[in-house]
């Protein structure tokens, strides 16, 4: 897709110099530059479902009229409406691009001063001396050994951190201030060890769900009280939450993918994957399709309204260990126990490129800026631009606690240059510059929301709750016209037309008359060809010689013969 | 090595004290706003629902008339005066803001008042009746009401109409006296009256000059304020029947349109002695109004339940057929924007049409409302006033879900956003069904269903005729062409 390339060009120009892009936007004296900026703005901000064709009609002031086929519509009114709509869309995209100069923050980065310097040689200890105190405070380790290994989950604004120890320790922390908000020990008074497989926050950080040994449980983050037990979800291995649909999804040992609406408590759907136990599940944030990685190396994509997988990809020769989706929804990265890490284009379902890992990969994550984190063994490596093109060396590397631990989970903290690593000896937080999105939207993900804002956000998101049927591979199709291809339309029309007609009634025929051989014989009975004539002649002459020539006479001949034989007055008429 | 990492502090991103405005950050990147279209669509459905939830069009019913309200007139230049004439010969002047009668005369005419119109200066109004008279009445009326109304009036910029004109100070003072007690036994006297040989059906005032036109049983007459006899009289083409309605063109000073009982619509030029042209429809037209913003166009309301938009330059075919009523259309009122008009019908409903749409945008009815004889938009295009057979005048909102009174800026912005969303997805079945659904009275619902069946069957029949006739001998006739029977030039 060309739009992605253009997007890349746009963001890189923005990074290099802000003033340049500003000049481009406002200086219409240079038509080429301003046009490219406009096009990039359209690519980035205009609705994606509009094809380039519809853009041809748009006459924006900076845009030279490049349209080749100036299609004249029959309906002038509709044409004018379309044109006006396009103009508005382009103008809105340009305005959104122009508003980028109002962005207050610039993203983090590491710049090398000479070619000998390598960013992946940079250690956290060195890094902490380069950054301000608040950032260096984010580099810390928590030693938690009794309930390890630990899983890490951040909420959507990246303010709260949920740490779940496998055997029953749960901690909710304010990730910004590094204070413990609530701590839970779900071990039945220490008598029995729990088995927490997976965890997720719900629509905001006030509640979270845990996949425990038997069921999913929902807890309140403030009081730590158990709010709900989802009895339908039996033996879950992985859970995930779709915030815009308010759906909690789980998949377990039986291989059933189950969706529950957390606003009503109803079970929305239950799909049988038929692929055995599954513990790898992440949703694509672009279209809310659930991606499942299975034990036979297959990745399946699911929507709650379709009982079959939307897509099935044979991704690895061996179990899929982990998968991650990028924010734009175009790429998926999978890791298998065949030591491969593969980058997939989700639009074509093809491998873009693949990496070989020396050690078994245990977890993957993709940051908001597209940095890939790979946790394997004791290390976590970070790969910049690894999705777009194949990289030779990592951007950064981190060996947790100088080795001796097994990494369990890696998660980027949204809107910050921080990465949380859960491992067999607790939790580590490190700083990786340039992984977080530099600007947050207060109306979407407000990490500094006060009580009132949080309440309002909750009500609004409930009002905008999307229906489960809206989950499909291309979310831009919603509210549009479903258009079949021409031949499909024709077929449908024919079927509809034939449905109106009465079916032809079969003729009643005697038994055995319908054999092919008999049918053919009947058909050919009265056909006279050379062979048949000869046969007839032969039979006739034979019969005549035997004195049975009458059998082969025509009725007229018979009559004549009879007349001649009978004689009398009329015999003169028979010659 | 140069290193920079993101670092956000709580102090830098939240307000320091509760009096400050909350600090907000924006990121318009669509990557951070996933499922945008689905969310927009969901909001559009919610907005459509809200629109129907808040649809409460009825504002007030004004009592006063003791018989059917036959005709009404709003001032063209001013917001306030609104005049109605009753079938029993009573005339009332209303202050719509305070919802009160400010002037009335129970014995204005001895017959039904068939037409009222307000003069251009707003100081007097005219009425015509079946009793063969035209009367001019003073309108030097103080709009009643307390201080609140007065302030309201000042805000609206209504001209103070209590300054006396020179010539008729006597009668004016009398009008004022009567206005203080609306039920006074002494009825006010007209400023002028004209006696004629014929009954009047309709009248209209010239938009600029001191002239008015009347439609009577035999012809159309043009009158001057200062002459006792009509200055011109026109008989329509093939003029054997009576004229129903007459209306002056808003921009062409000498152009008149009328409808007649022989199902015709005609145009007259007052500079010429005979009529310009005429077209005959299938059924009689009951009302005619010019579009105030596009004065070459006019709409007629027909006995066949439809309204027809015409371009006066081309009377051979209407530009649009507006369908929806299930009874004869009796009156039409244009919005001052020229984009919408309202129709009152014999089927006891009023409908609002976009001037370019074949179906109505909205339809109103009330439990006790009877046949609607007159409808008008107020000059601010926000309200509709209807007068009906049940002797009441009703005020409706032009947009049924609009909030009355001043809105907060945020409220207005939210409303605009909602409206835009509904417009964006108006063709989606879910949104369309919500927006278009109306609970109509049983009678109207049944009749509409029946009309649809009849229309479908007529169409099928036409198709069959064409199918079984010689090729090319019978052609399809469009819905618009069907309406016209004959055109005279």
């Amino acid at each position: 897709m060309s739009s992605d390339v253009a997007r890349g060009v746009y963001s890189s120009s923005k990074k290099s110099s802000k003033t340049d892009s500003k000049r481009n936007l406002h200086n219409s004296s240079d038509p080429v530059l301003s046009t490219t900026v406009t096009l990039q703005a359209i690519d980035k901000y205009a609705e994606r479902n509009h094809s380039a064709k519809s853009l041809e009609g748009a006459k924006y002031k900076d845009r030279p009229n490049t349209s080749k086929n100036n299609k004249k519509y029959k309906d002038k009114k509709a044409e004018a409406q379309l044109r006006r709509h396009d103009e508005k869309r382009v103008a809105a995209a340009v305005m959104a691009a122009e508003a980028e100069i109002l962005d207050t923050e610039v993203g983090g980065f590491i710049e090398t001063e000479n070619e000998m310097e390598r960013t992946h040689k940079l250690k956290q200890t060195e890094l902490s001396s380069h950054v301000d105190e608040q950032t260096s405070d984010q580099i810390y380790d928590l030693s938690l050994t009794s309930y390890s290994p630990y899983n890490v989950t951040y909420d959507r604004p990246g303010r709260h951190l949920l740490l779940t120890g496998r055997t029953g320790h749960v901690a909710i922390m304010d990730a910004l201030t590094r204070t413990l908000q609530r701590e839970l020990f779900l071990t039945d008074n220490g008598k029995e060890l729990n088995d927490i497989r997976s965890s997720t926050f719900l629509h905001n950080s006030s509640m979270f769900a845990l996949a425990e040994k038997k069921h999913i449980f929902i807890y309140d983050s403030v009081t730590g009280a158990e709010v709900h037990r989802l009895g339908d979800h039996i033996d879950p291995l992985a859970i995930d939450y779709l915030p815009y649909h308010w759906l909690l999804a789980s998949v377990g040992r039986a291989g059933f993918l189950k969706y529950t609406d957390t606003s009503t408590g109803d079970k929305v759907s239950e799909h049988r994957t038929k692929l055995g136990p599954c513990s790898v599940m992440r949703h694509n944030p672009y279209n809310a399709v659930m991606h499942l990685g299975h034990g036979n190396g297959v990745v399946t994509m699911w929507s709650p309204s379709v009982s079959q997988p939307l897509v099935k990809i044979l991704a690895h020769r061996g179990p899929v260990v982990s998968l991650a989706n990028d924010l734009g929804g175009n790429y998926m990265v999978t890791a298998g126990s065949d030591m491969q890490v593969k980058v997939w284009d989700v639009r074509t379902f093809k491998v873009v490129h693949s990496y070989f890992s020396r050690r078994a990969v245990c977890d993957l994550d993709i940051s908001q800026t597209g940095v890939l984190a790979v946790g394997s063994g004791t290390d976590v490596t970070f790969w910049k631009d690894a999705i777009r093109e194949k990289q030779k060396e990592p951007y950064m590397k981190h060996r947790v606690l100088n080795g001796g631990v097994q990494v369990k989970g890696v998660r980027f903290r949204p809107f910050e240059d921080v990465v949380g690593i859960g491992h067999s000896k607790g939790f580590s937080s490190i700083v990786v510059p340039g992984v977080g999105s530099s600007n947050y939207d207060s109306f979407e993900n407000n990490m500094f929301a006060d009580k009132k804002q949080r309440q309002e956000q909750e009500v609004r998101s409930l009002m905008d709750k999307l229906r489960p049927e809206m989950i499909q591979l291309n979310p831009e199709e919603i509210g549009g016209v479903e258009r079949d291809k021409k031949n499909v339309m024709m077929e449908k029309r024919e079927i509809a037309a034939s449905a109106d007609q009465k079916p032809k009634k079969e003729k009643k025929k005697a038994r055995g008359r319908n054999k092919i051989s008999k049918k053919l014989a009947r058909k050919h009975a009265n056909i006279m060809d050379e062979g048949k004539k000869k046969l007839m002649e032969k039979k006739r002459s034979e019969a005549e010689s035997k004195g049975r020539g009458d059998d082969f006479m025509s009725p007229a001949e018979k009559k004549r013969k009879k007349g001649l034989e009978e004689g009398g007055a009329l015999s003169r008429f028979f010659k | 090595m140069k290193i920079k990492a993101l670092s956000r502090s709580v102090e830098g991103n939240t307000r320091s004290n509760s009096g400050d405005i909350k600090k907000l950050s924006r990121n318009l990147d669509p990557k951070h706003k996933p499922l945008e279209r689905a969310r927009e669509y969901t909001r559009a459905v919610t907005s459509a629902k809200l629109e129907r939830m808040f649809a409460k069009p009825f504002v007030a019913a004004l009592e006063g008339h003791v018989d059917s309200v036959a005709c009404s007139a709003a001032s063209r230049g001013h917001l306030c005066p609104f005049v109605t004439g009753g079938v029993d010969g009573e005339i009332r002047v209303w202050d719509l803001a305070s919802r009160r009668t400010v002037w009335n005369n129970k014995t204005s005419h001895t017959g039904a008042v068939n037409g009222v119109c307000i003069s251009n200066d707003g100081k007097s109004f005219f009425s015509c009746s079946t009793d063969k008279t035209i009367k001019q009445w003073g309108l030097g009326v103080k709009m009643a009401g307390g201080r609140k109304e007065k302030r309201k009036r000042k805000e609206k910029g209504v001209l103070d109409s209590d300054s006396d004109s020179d010539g008729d100070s006597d009668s004016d003072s009398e009008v004022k006296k009567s206005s203080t007690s609306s039920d006074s036994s002494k009825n006010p006297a007209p400023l002028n009256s004209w006696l004629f040989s014929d009954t009047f059906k309709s009248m209209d005032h010239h938009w600029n000059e001191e002239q008015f036109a009347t439609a009577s049983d035999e012809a159309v007459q043009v009158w001057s304020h200062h002459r006792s006899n009509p200055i011109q009289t026109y008989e329509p083409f093939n003029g054997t029947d009576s004229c129903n309605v007459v209306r002056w063109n808003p921009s062409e000073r000498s152009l008149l349109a009328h409808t007649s009982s022989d199902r015709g619509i005609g145009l007259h030029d007052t500079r010429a002695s005979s009529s310009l042209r005429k077209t005959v429809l299938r059924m009689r037209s009951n009302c005619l109004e010019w579009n105030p913003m596009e004065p070459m166009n006019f709409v007629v309301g027909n006995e066949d339940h439809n309204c027809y938009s015409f371009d006066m330059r081309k009377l051979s075919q209407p530009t649009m057929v507006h369908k929806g009523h299930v009874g004869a259309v009796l009156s039409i009122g244009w919005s001052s924007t020229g984009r919408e008009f309202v129709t009152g019908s014999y089927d006891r409903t009023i409908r609002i049409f976009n001037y370019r749409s074949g179906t109505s945008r909205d339809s109103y009815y009330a439990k006790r409302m009877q046949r609607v004889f007159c409808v008008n938009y107020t000059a601010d295009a926000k309200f509709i006033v209807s007068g009906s057979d049940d002797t009441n005048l009703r005020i409706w909102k032009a947009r049924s879900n609009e909030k009355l009174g001043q809105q907060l800026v945020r409220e207005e912005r939210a409303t605009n956003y909602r409206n835009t969303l509904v417009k964006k997805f108006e063709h989606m079945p879910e949104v369309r069904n919500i927006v278009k659904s109306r609970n109509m009275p049983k009678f109207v619902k049944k009749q509409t269903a029946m009309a649809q069946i009849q229309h479908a069957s007529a169409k099928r029949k036409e198709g069959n005729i064409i199918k079984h006739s010689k090729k090319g001998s019978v052609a399809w006739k469009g819905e618009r062409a069907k309406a016209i029977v004959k055109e005279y030039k």
Side-chain angles (χ1 to χ4, degrees):
Chain A
M1 210 182 213
S2 64
S3 66
D4 252 287
V5 180
R7 233 174 272 169
V9 170
Y10 185 77
S11 51
S12 64
S13 75
K14 182 188 137 200
K15 239 173 249 169
S16 59
S17 67
K18 283 231 140 174
T19 48
D20 254 358
S21 68
K22 188 186 171 186
R23 183 178 57 81
N24 289 351
L25 282 168
H26 293 291
N27 188 358
S28 56
S29 64
D30 191 345
V32 180
L33 268 179
S34 59
T35 309
T36 50
V37 171
T38 311
L39 285 173
Q40 285 156 5
I42 292 164
D43 278 334
K44 187 169 180 186
Y45 286 107
E47 291 161 35
R48 290 196 212 182
N49 64 333
H50 282 79
S51 59
K53 211 173 175 186
S54 71
L55 277 177
E56 302 251 295
K59 277 184 194 161
Y60 186 68
K61 59 180 185 221
D62 287 346
R63 190 181 165 79
N65 198 3
T66 52
S67 58
K68 279 165 199 164
N69 52 340
N70 264 332
K71 196 184 170 188
K72 286 279 175 199
Y73 292 90
K74 231 181 184 181
D75 190 345
K76 278 188 180 173
K77 238 184 269 174
E79 191 189 355
Q81 272 174 357
L82 277 176
R83 200 190 59 237
R84 238 173 284 140
H85 178 253
D86 265 347
E87 279 171 7
K88 265 187 205 163
R89 202 165 52 78
V90 173
V94 171
M95 270 162 71
E98 281 179 341
E100 271 188 2
I101 60 166
L102 297 173
D103 287 353
T104 45
E105 286 275 349
V106 185
F109 55 84
I110 306 176
E111 259 177 36
T112 52
E113 273 157 4
N114 55 53
E115 285 184 3
M116 295 303 287
E117 274 185 338
R118 289 276 176 272
T119 51
H120 63 84
K121 295 267 168 80
L122 187 70
K123 291 223 167 81
Q124 291 292 313
T125 44
E126 294 168 49
L127 193 137
S128 70
S129 60
H130 281 81
V131 292
D132 60 14
E133 200 188 335
Q134 199 189 346
T135 312
S136 65
D137 280 351
Q138 293 293 334
I139 303 170
Y140 59 91
D141 296 302
L142 299 178
S143 175
L144 307 157
T145 47
S146 18
Y147 296 94
S148 62
Y150 274 83
N151 241 331
V152 189
T153 313
Y154 287 102
D155 68 344
R156 278 188 300 146
R159 180 69 187 258
H160 290 93
L161 166 67
L162 178 64
L163 287 174
T164 49
R166 179 92 197 186
T167 48
H169 174 224
V170 180
I172 305 114
M173 282 176 66
D174 186 331
L176 189 73
T177 56
R178 298 183 302 151
T179 48
L180 184 68
Q181 193 177 308
R182 195 79 215 179
E183 203 172 13
L184 300 175
F185 294 94
L186 306 168
T187 55
D188 197 15
N189 295 329
K191 284 178 210 156
E192 197 183 334
L193 287 181
N194 207 327
D195 185 8
I196 302 174
R197 286 85 176 261
S198 180
S199 62
T200 178
F201 278 107
L202 297 191
H203 58 279
N204 59 22
S205 59
S206 65
M207 274 188 272
F208 61 89
L210 300 180
E212 291 178 32
K213 211 182 225 168
K214 284 182 179 167
H215 302 292
I216 294 177
F217 291 86
I218 294 175
Y219 297 92
D220 189 303
S221 317
V222 181
T223 59
E226 181 190 312
V227 179
H228 204 68
R229 179 181 69 94
L230 298 176
D232 283 340
H233 299 252
I234 303 155
D235 200 0
L237 292 177
I239 55 172
D240 200 0
Y241 190 71
L242 303 172
Y244 296 103
H245 302 79
W246 289 65
L247 289 180
L248 182 68
S250 84
V251 65
R253 210 174 292 283
F256 277 86
L257 173 62
K258 292 169 185 176
Y259 288 91
T260 296
D261 189 326
T262 56
S263 64
T264 61
D266 295 336
K267 190 162 84 177
V268 171
S269 63
E270 183 177 316
H271 302 321
R272 197 177 149 206
T273 61
K274 301 182 193 170
L275 291 167
C278 175
S279 59
V280 180
M281 179 165 74
R282 297 285 281 278
H283 76 270
N284 185 342
Y286 168 63
N287 54 15
V289 168
M290 202 57 83
H291 293 209
L292 265 62
H294 298 279
N296 58 354
V298 168
V299 172
T300 50
M301 302 182 190
W302 296 83
S303 156
S305 53
V306 186
S307 59
Q308 298 293 316
L310 303 173
V311 181
K312 227 172 168 180
I313 303 172
L314 180 59
H316 292 282
R317 294 156 189 242
V320 179
V321 173
S322 177
L323 65 84
N325 291 292
D326 87 317
L327 191 62
N330 294 337
Y331 298 98
M332 170 178 72
V333 181
T334 59
S337 46
D338 57 354
M339 304 306 206
Q340 292 280 328
V341 176
K342 290 183 181 173
V343 181
W344 298 83
D345 191 328
V346 184
R347 294 161 296 186
T348 58
F349 309 113
K350 280 179 183 156
V351 182
V352 183
H353 42 253
S354 55
Y355 297 88
F356 175 73
S357 167
R358 277 170 205 281
R359 266 170 301 184
V361 177
C362 54
D363 202 14
L364 293 173
D365 199 20
I366 301 175
S367 85
Q368 288 173 325
T369 55
V371 175
L372 174 69
V374 182
S376 54
T378 56
D379 294 351
V380 182
T381 47
F382 299 93
W383 300 76
K384 205 176 186 181
D385 299 327
I387 289 164
R388 203 166 293 124
E389 53 195 55
K390 193 163 180 174
Q391 299 294 320
K392 282 182 180 152
E393 58 184 27
Y395 171 60
M396 275 189 81
K397 242 187 217 172
H398 180 67
R399 176 154 291 185
V400 182
L401 296 173
N402 296 317
V405 295
Q406 186 68 36
V407 173
K408 176 74 188 356
V410 183
R411 287 291 178 273
F412 287 102
R413 187 174 151 204
F415 303 102
E416 290 287 346
D417 289 342
V418 176
V419 181
I421 304 164
H423 48 76
S424 55
K425 281 186 181 169
F427 170 75
S428 298
S429 169
I430 60 168
V431 170
V432 181
V435 297
S437 182
S438 53
N439 286 284
Y440 67 95
D441 198 316
S442 306
F443 297 104
E444 198 77 33
N445 295 306
N446 192 358
M447 63 202 79
F448 299 103
D450 58 17
K451 193 180 168 190
K452 207 85 194 160
Q453 282 171 318
R454 216 164 34 238
Q455 285 171 343
E456 192 170 330
Q457 189 85 43
E458 196 166 3
V459 172
R460 280 194 182 281
S461 72
L462 251 182
M463 281 181 77
D464 292 345
K465 188 180 91 170
L466 306 182
R467 273 170 280 166
E469 308 91 70
M470 286 175 166
I471 298 178
Q472 51 187 35
L473 282 174
N474 184 3
E476 304 296 329
E477 272 172 7
I478 291 164
V481 181
E482 188 188 21
R483 193 171 288 163
D484 286 328
K485 280 181 182 154
K486 211 170 189 180
N487 52 353
V488 180
M489 290 245 276
M490 290 290 281
E491 266 172 36
K492 275 187 182 171
R493 217 173 285 164
E494 270 168 25
I495 289 167
S498 62
D500 291 343
Q501 290 170 353
K502 275 184 187 170
K504 261 189 183 175
K505 213 177 178 183
E506 288 283 324
K507 264 186 186 171
K508 250 192 175 175
K509 283 173 185 170
R511 275 177 89 104
R513 272 174 67 89
N514 217 13
K515 273 185 185 166
I516 288 283
S517 55
K518 285 189 177 175
K519 252 187 181 178
L520 268 175
R522 246 181 286 142
K523 247 184 181 175
H524 291 280
N526 56 351
I527 292 175
M528 295 297 274
D529 57 359
E530 284 301 308
K532 203 163 193 177
K533 262 184 188 171
K534 271 183 187 170
L535 193 72
M536 290 274 281
E537 277 305 310
K538 204 181 166 188
K539 275 188 176 173
R540 189 177 186 157
S541 59
E542 263 178 27
E544 270 171 4
S545 66
K546 282 179 184 170
R548 287 195 291 111
D550 291 7
D551 296 358
F552 288 87
M553 273 179 189
S554 69
E557 277 175 323
K558 275 182 187 168
K559 208 177 180 183
R560 187 168 150 263
K561 199 184 169 193
K562 202 183 172 190
L564 281 172
E565 277 170 3
E566 280 175 1
L570 294 173
S571 65
R572 58 197 165 102
F573 295 109
F574 297 102
K575 284 177 184 173
Chain B
M1 210 174 269
K2 272 186 196 167
I3 297 171
K4 186 201 173 282
L6 284 174
S7 169
R8 288 195 192 87
S9 62
V10 178
E11 296 77 40
N13 288 277
T14 49
R15 55 184 179 181
S16 48
N17 45 41
S18 59
D20 295 348
I21 53 165
K22 284 171 185 167
K23 283 189 177 170
L24 295 177
S25 166
R26 295 311 307 268
N27 186 355
L28 301 178
D29 193 338
K31 264 204 293 188
H32 291 290
K33 302 178 192 316
L35 306 160
E36 188 183 22
R37 205 167 160 79
R39 283 154 81 189
E40 244 185 12
Y41 175 72
T42 310
R43 277 182 200 157
V45 174
T46 315
S47 307
K49 284 177 186 166
L50 281 178
E51 193 181 302
R52 291 318 302 155
M53 273 166 65
F54 289 120
K56 302 267 186 289
F58 182 68
V59 178
L62 311 183
E63 292 175 10
H65 277 288
V66 288
D67 208 337
S68 312
V69 185
C71 57
S72 64
S75 172
R76 281 168 186 160
H78 313 299
L79 268 181
C80 254
F82 191 84
V83 185
T84 54
V87 171
D88 58 346
E90 185 181 11
I91 296 177
R92 278 176 180 262
V93 180
W94 303 85
D95 180 11
L96 294 179
S98 63
R99 301 172 192 178
R100 287 165 73 174
T101 307
V102 286
W103 183 97
N104 76 329
N105 187 347
K106 284 186 175 167
T107 53
S108 313
H109 291 278
T110 51
V113 182
N114 275 345
V116 282
C117 61
I118 299 172
S119 70
N120 293 328
D121 58 6
K123 285 177 183 166
S124 63
F125 68 93
F126 299 85
S127 62
C128 68
S129 164
T130 48
D131 65 0
K132 304 179 184 178
T133 55
I134 302 169
K135 284 176 184 171
Q136 184 182 15
W137 309 86
L139 198 58
V141 181
K142 260 191 186 169
M143 287 298 156
R147 230 179 289 153
K148 208 176 163 190
E149 270 78 21
K150 235 181 192 175
R151 200 173 61 235
K152 251 189 207 167
R153 249 182 338 124
K154 257 185 197 167
E155 279 166 6
K156 280 182 183 171
V158 177
L159 291 178
D160 229 7
S161 50
D162 54 357
S163 60
D164 289 354
S165 55
D166 301 336
D168 43 36
S169 57
D170 285 348
S171 58
D172 245 346
S173 60
E174 198 171 300
V175 168
K176 257 186 233 166
K177 239 183 268 162
S178 74
S179 75
T180 50
S181 56
S182 61
D183 285 329
S184 68
S185 55
K186 198 184 173 192
N187 282 316
L191 302 181
N192 280 312
S193 50
W194 288 264
L195 199 61
F196 196 59
S197 58
D198 223 342
T199 57
F200 294 108
K201 297 278 183 69
S202 157
M203 77 185 304
D204 189 34
H205 201 277
H206 198 281
W207 285 71
N208 310 98
E209 289 161 21
E210 292 198 325
Q211 284 180 3
F212 55 89
T214 54
S216 74
D217 261 349
E218 275 166 14
V220 170
Q221 296 88 20
V222 179
W223 305 75
S224 165
H225 286 196
H226 313 293
R227 304 278 286 274
S228 57
N229 286 322
I231 50 176
Q232 268 162 327
T233 304
Y234 297 97
E235 280 179 16
F237 267 113
N238 300 6
T240 50
D241 248 328
S242 65
C243 296
N244 297 324
V245 185
V246 62
R247 288 288 180 266
W248 287 96
N249 187 293
S251 72
E252 291 290 339
R253 283 162 174 262
S254 48
L255 194 69
L256 266 172
H258 82 274
T259 69
S260 49
S261 302
D262 62 345
R263 304 170 293 158
I265 307 165
L267 295 175
H268 298 289
D269 190 337
T270 53
R271 294 166 298 190
S273 56
S274 62
S275 357
L276 274 178
R277 50 168 65 175
K278 181 177 167 180
T279 189
V280 178
L281 307 186
R282 276 185 306 190
M283 290 180 98
R284 198 183 76 156
S285 300
N286 293 321
C287 48
L288 182 151
E289 292 292 340
W290 291 94
N291 184 337
M293 297 308 279
E294 291 173 2
M296 65 283 194
N297 297 330
F298 62 87
V299 182
V300 293
N302 203 283
E303 197 75 22
D304 67 358
H305 311 177
N306 296 339
C307 293
Y308 298 98
S309 280
F310 278 98
D311 187 330
M312 72 174 182
R313 297 163 294 189
K314 193 185 173 213
L315 293 183
S316 58
Q317 180 167 299
T319 52
M320 181 66 83
V321 183
H322 308 275
K323 290 184 169 183
H325 278 298
V326 292
V329 181
L330 299 180
S331 67
I332 291 174
W334 271 98
S335 156
S336 54
T337 57
R339 295 288 157 135
E340 280 179 346
F341 62 86
V342 58
T343 56
S345 164
Y346 201 69
D347 64 9
R348 304 185 183 96
T349 62
I350 61 177
R351 282 180 185 266
I352 305 167
F353 289 90
N354 185 299
Y355 76 131
R356 276 181 182 166
S357 147
T359 51
S360 61
R361 169 173 73 73
D362 212 340
S363 49
Y364 301 156
Y365 70 95
K367 229 177 189 177
R368 295 188 178 86
M369 187 164 79
Q370 294 298 317
R371 324 287 184 195
V372 186
F373 291 138
C374 54
V375 279
N376 281 85
Y377 261 95
T378 55
D380 56 359
K382 288 214 162 197
F383 298 97
I384 290 163
V385 186
S386 69
S388 46
D389 208 4
D390 60 326
T391 74
N392 279 350
L393 213 59
R394 283 186 174 76
I395 306 177
W396 309 84
K397 286 191 272 184
R399 299 222 155 249
S400 55
N401 60 324
E402 200 173 50
K403 193 187 167 194
L404 289 181
Q406 202 170 5
Q407 279 185 306
L408 296 173
V409 179
R410 280 177 66 190
E411 214 173 349
E412 204 174 320
R413 218 179 284 153
T415 312
N416 288 344
Y417 177 63
R418 283 205 302 270
N419 292 344
T420 315
L421 279 183
V422 171
K423 196 157 171 25
K424 185 173 177 183
F425 292 101
E426 68 187 344
H427 299 300
M428 295 301 294
E430 200 180 9
V431 177
R432 192 181 54 211
N433 289 348
I434 296 168
V435 169
K436 299 233 162 166
S437 71
R438 295 285 181 279
N439 284 326
M440 294 305 284
K442 208 174 183 181
F443 164 74
V444 176
K445 209 177 161 188
K446 273 188 177 172
Q447 289 292 312
T448 311
M450 205 189 286
Q452 275 168 359
I453 292 167
Q454 284 169 349
H455 182 255
S457 120
K459 210 172 173 187
R460 193 177 60 239
K461 189 175 179 184
E462 198 183 353
N464 285 343
I465 289 171
I466 291 166
K467 203 168 150 192
H468 300 295
S469 315
K470 194 183 166 189
K471 218 177 185 182
S473 60
V474 186
W476 280 103
K477 208 172 179 191
E479 200 69 5
R480 292 184 295 161
K482 268 181 205 164
I484 306 295
V485 175
K486 199 174 185 186
E487 191 192 7
Y488 298 100
K489 277 185 184 173

